[in-house]
Amino acid sequence: MSGLTRERGCWYYVPWMAIFGLCFLGGAIGVWIHFSILAYEETKDGLDQLEVEAPDFDIPYPAVVATACVALAICVLVGLLSLCRSFIEAGHDATGRQGEGSTVWMWLTGIVSAVWWVVTIWMVLLIMGSSFYAGLLYVVESTIDRLQEKFGPESGVTSNPGEPCPAQCLNLMYFSFLWSNLQDSCRCDYTVLRQANDKFSEASRHTVPLLVGIWVAFAAVLVLLVDLACQFAHTKREKELIRRAHGKQFEIPDYFYKGANEGYR
């Protein structure tokens, strides 16, 4: 059995890849959630300044929080599975036999990996939504900036309900993602537009670390998925090799019988 055992230092069994991946993922999720909340609050304040509503604006917020909570919960499971894998491998190396609980570990890893893939696909959708949100903020902000640069604060233009919106004003009907009354879709007050645009600019600034955080989190998720798949394949291969080695341990080769029979002739 000495051929199936091997001595390795304790540092060899530390799941370094999982540790680094979990650290990056935890930090990235923290950055993503923090700046998502800041961007959400600033955008909400800007919409309040314009006295307008975005009917779908509040829908992604609970989805972001729920995704972060699920991802962190799975992070804990992945960390525990990686730690258990280290003990299983140490058991293989010390005894030359299958580590205790390796079959259960493989089942749990398969289940967690399946859920992890679902979370990964969902994160792709969140990346798309976050990018779209950053783009909408840029459109609104740049539109207000162009209006104020072109016409300035002293345009003296007002809008009357039911009449076409003057070119110097912000026509909210152009933005299908905002809800506004057709009879009251113009915003001409320079001060109101300036205050709202300050909020939108601040929210747009927060979307940069927001997107960086979610992309880093996505990359860390992929690294953890690959690492978990490698651990699964390694454990499965170890089980097969150890089972073969123990199965052939007491088998006597055919040439032994052949040589013995010829000796009796």
Side-chain angles (χ1 to χ4, degrees):
M1 295 302 297
S2 60
L4 297 179
T5 60
R6 51 189 172 182
E7 295 182 3
R8 288 171 169 172
C10 295
W11 292 106
Y12 174 83
Y13 300 104
V14 177
W16 295 112
M17 187 64 70
I19 291 174
F20 291 140
L22 291 173
C23 288
F24 274 104
L25 181 58
I29 288 178
V31 171
W32 172 38
I33 292 298
H34 175 70
F35 285 99
S36 293
I37 293 174
L38 292 179
Y40 171 84
E41 292 176 348
E42 295 291 347
T43 305
K44 192 74 171 175
D45 291 341
L47 294 175
D48 291 340
Q49 291 288 341
L50 294 177
E51 297 180 352
V52 67
E53 296 179 0
D56 299 327
F57 180 64
D58 292 328
I59 294 177
Y61 184 75
V64 170
V65 176
T67 302
C69 293
V70 172
L72 289 175
I74 297 180
C75 279
V76 175
L77 291 177
V78 171
L80 291 175
L81 287 172
S82 298
L83 184 62
C84 292
R85 162 62 196 166
S86 297
F87 283 107
I88 290 172
E89 186 173 10
H92 286 168
D93 292 343
T95 64
R97 297 181 179 276
Q98 295 182 22
E100 295 293 334
S102 57
T103 301
V104 175
W105 182 89
M106 291 177 64
W107 275 101
L108 290 176
T109 300
I111 295 172
V112 172
S113 297
V115 177
W116 207 218
W117 271 112
V118 174
V119 173
T120 303
I121 296 173
W122 177 245
M123 286 190 70
V124 172
L125 298 179
L126 286 179
I127 290 174
M128 295 171 60
S130 298
S131 302
F132 186 63
Y133 165 60
L136 293 181
L137 277 176
Y138 174 78
V139 169
V140 175
E141 177 192 359
S142 59
T143 300
I144 296 176
D145 281 338
R146 282 197 300 270
L147 285 175
Q148 296 189 332
E149 289 175 1
K150 184 174 182 179
F151 298 104
E154 305 298 335
S155 60
V157 176
T158 59
S159 61
N160 298 317
E163 296 183 359
C165 189
Q168 295 90 335
C169 302
L170 178 67
N171 190 351
L172 298 175
M173 295 305 297
Y174 289 144
F175 306 102
S176 59
F177 51 90
L178 299 176
W179 181 90
S180 60
N181 189 342
L182 181 62
Q183 303 299 322
D184 187 25
S185 62
C186 288
R187 297 294 182 271
C188 301
D189 191 316
Y190 178 87
T191 302
V192 171
L193 290 176
R194 185 73 267 162
Q195 292 174 348
N197 203 37
D198 289 341
K199 298 294 183 180
F200 292 141
S201 298
E202 193 67 16
S204 183
R205 186 176 68 84
H206 292 319
T207 58
V208 176
L210 182 158
L211 291 173
V212 171
I214 192 172
W215 271 106
V216 172
F218 179 69
V221 165
L222 292 181
V223 169
L224 288 173
L225 269 175
V226 172
D227 182 58
L228 208 58
C230 291
Q231 292 182 35
F232 183 91
H234 196 178
T235 303
K236 185 174 182 294
R237 185 61 175 167
E238 281 179 350
K239 286 171 63 68
E240 292 176 352
L241 291 176
I242 292 175
R243 188 184 303 116
R244 281 184 186 163
H246 284 285
K248 293 180 181 259
Q249 182 180 0
F250 300 105
E251 291 182 4
I252 300 177
D254 292 338
Y255 65 80
F256 179 83
Y257 291 108
K258 182 178 179 181
N261 293 332
E262 289 178 354
Y264 282 113
R265 290 179 184 175

